[in-house]
Amino acid sequence: MTYFAGVDVGSLSTDAVIVDEAENIVAYAVVETGANSTDAAQRAMAQAAQKAGLTPEDIARTVGTGYGRVSVPGAQKKVTEITCHGVGSAHLFPQAQTVIDIGGQDSKVIRLGPGGKVSDFVMNDKCAAGTGRFLEVMAAKLQVGLDQMGPLSLSAQGEPVKISSVCTVFAESEVISLVAQNHPREQIIKGIHKAIVNRVWNMVKSLGEPGVTTMSGGVAKNKGVAALLEERLGAKLLIHDEPQIVGALGAALLARRQA
């Protein structure tokens, strides 16, 4: 059996996926990127290989993606995360027409054409607004874990408070003011999520009618954000059990298809 790997080096996490010749996911790993992208790529690959009972030498071909794709040791090719998220999403959900990916430092909306090829996209990578980093800062300010943000948002009663800015610096000041005014934490969190969704929704609309939509990236695990996006879509989002690995999966599939 021959195996292929994809490694997605993001700003917050680095993900590795190994697939076999039939394009089945054999194993995957998600690690924190930390201060060294090359080290993160090596750790992710080592963990994924160990889970699969393989050694790095068993991997026939590797493709790197993500902002740190140039740092993936041994990668025969580097591919943009736009292409890889498109390929990975189309593999998991062949019916998908639009991909919403909210990562650690950027957010993007990708329109898929026939065969899962990227036909158009829009990306916000100028600041941390509407990204996983934005949520991290807000969670720290509200003294809650990231994994608590979704459930707390869903439990909010009444209308969420309005967060007028998604600039991390200005929004943090707004949150401080709202806390001082004793607004319920749940309503503040839902307001933060709504601000993110408003920003992403403008990106979705810029590409036209979204149709069947899937969501990838770490923020897809946040059920509060996903629920608000589904309200806008008027339909359920398609979300994989581990949405963080979609980009790495796309890279692994490209390694397989380009072998």
Side-chain angles (χ1 to χ4, degrees):
M1 181 69 76
T2 304
Y3 299 95
F4 305 87
V7 181
D8 180 1
V9 182
S11 57
L12 299 181
S13 72
T14 294
D15 322 310
V17 173
I18 297 173
V19 300
D20 61 19
E21 293 170 287
E23 301 191 348
N24 299 305
I25 297 175
V26 176
Y28 66 83
V30 178
V31 304
E32 290 186 5
T33 298
N36 189 309
S37 297
T38 298
D39 175 66
Q42 289 173 327
R43 285 187 286 115
M45 269 303 301
Q47 288 189 20
Q50 184 179 33
K51 289 180 180 177
L54 303 173
T55 67
E57 290 72 28
D58 294 318
I59 306 300
R61 185 175 172 82
T62 300
V63 167
T65 188
Y67 93 97
R69 56 186 176 272
V70 297
S71 302
V72 178
Q76 282 79 18
K77 192 169 184 178
K78 285 81 175 176
V79 180
T80 70
E81 57 265 44
I82 298 288
T83 297
C84 289
H85 275 271
V87 171
S89 296
H91 179 79
L92 294 170
F93 304 108
Q95 70 274 44
Q97 298 167 284
T98 297
V99 182
I100 296 173
D101 170 54
I102 305 180
Q105 291 283 18
D106 64 42
S107 52
K108 38 194 171 286
V109 178
I110 305 166
R111 178 59 54 84
L112 299 178
K117 288 190 175 180
V118 175
S119 61
D120 202 357
F121 72 93
V122 59
M123 184 172 183
N124 161 42
D125 60 354
K126 302 301 182 188
C127 65
T131 69
R133 178 60 184 159
F134 176 79
L135 281 175
E136 272 196 350
V137 172
M138 296 303 133
K141 183 55 61 181
L142 291 167
Q143 297 183 314
V144 300
L146 264 180
D147 58 346
Q148 295 176 279
M149 296 277 279
L152 286 170
S153 177
L154 293 175
S155 70
Q157 301 295 314
E159 285 297 310
V161 297
K162 184 176 181 181
I163 306 291
S164 57
S165 175
V166 287
C167 167
T168 304
V169 176
F170 292 132
E172 186 175 7
S173 298
E174 284 190 68
V175 167
I176 291 171
S177 297
L178 291 166
V179 170
Q181 295 164 23
N182 289 323
H183 284 280
R185 185 170 58 177
E186 293 81 359
Q187 287 189 0
I188 296 174
I189 292 172
K190 190 170 183 178
I192 291 167
H193 290 165
K194 192 167 186 177
I196 291 175
V197 168
N198 287 342
R199 185 178 182 91
V200 172
W201 188 246
N202 286 332
M203 296 165 65
V204 172
K205 288 193 302 181
S206 71
L207 296 183
E209 186 62 33
V212 179
T213 303
T214 180
M215 187 175 182
S216 61
V219 178
K221 294 180 177 179
N222 185 316
K223 295 186 182 302
V225 172
L228 290 170
L229 270 171
E230 287 174 344
E231 281 185 16
R232 291 297 189 96
L233 286 165
K236 293 289 289 183
L237 284 164
L238 304 176
I239 302 176
H240 186 256
D241 292 341
E242 182 44 274
Q244 278 182 273
I245 67 166
V246 175
L249 172 61
L253 293 170
L254 289 172
R256 166 68 183 92
R257 295 169 188 177
Q258 295 170 358

